[in-house]
């Protein structure tokens, strides 16, 4: 899979997840794909930012769905832009 195909498939995965996050007042956006297309950085937005279960959502929802579309992805991390 080329880097462009990886990005397209990650975006497809996020599009699948987004309605569930939006129903709870949140959202998600792709920040970057790094380390030879093995690490995905996302940003949780809206209600997801302060949610006490956002790490569980990130691992069991977001990461699992992204890996379904792009099996080579090893890790998905949330980037808190307020700390940059």
């Amino acid at each position: 899979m080329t880097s462009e195909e990886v990005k397209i498939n990650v975006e497809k995965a996020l599009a699948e997840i987004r309605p569930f996050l939006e129903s709870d007042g949140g959202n998600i956006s792709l920040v970057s794909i790094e380390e030879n297309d093995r690490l995905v950085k996302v940003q949780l937005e809206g209600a997801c930012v302060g949610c006490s279960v956002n790490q569980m959502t990130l691992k069991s929802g977001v990461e699992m769905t992204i890996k379904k579309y792009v099996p080579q992805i090893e890790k998905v991390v949330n980037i808190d832009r307020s700390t940059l």
Side-chain angles (χ1 to χ4, degrees), residues 35-54:
E35 297 179 20
N36 297 317
D37 297 336
R38 298 197 183 286
L39 171 68
V40 174
K41 293 182 178 180
V42 297
Q43 182 179 19
L44 293 170
E45 301 167 349
C48 293
V49 173
C51 179
S52 62
V53 295
N54 70 11

Side-chain angles (χ1 to χ4, degrees), residues 29-34 39-43 76-79:
S29 61
L30 177 62
V31 174
S32 64
I33 302 170
E34 301 176 3
L39 171 68
V40 174
K41 293 182 178 180
V42 297
Q43 182 179 19
V76 177
V77 295
N78 178 49
I79 301 301

Side-chain angles (χ1 to χ4, degrees), residues 2 10 12 31 40 53 60 75 79-80 83:
T2 68
V10 168
K12 286 179 185 176
V31 174
V40 174
V53 295
S60 59
K75 189 172 184 180
I79 301 301
D80 182 358
T83 61

Side-chain angles (χ1 to χ4, degrees), residues 7-25:
K7 183 178 181 195
I8 289 167
N9 284 330
V10 168
E11 290 287 6
K12 286 179 185 176
L14 295 180
E16 181 178 315
I17 298 160
R18 196 164 280 118
F20 299 104
L21 299 176
E22 288 173 343
S23 71
D24 287 331

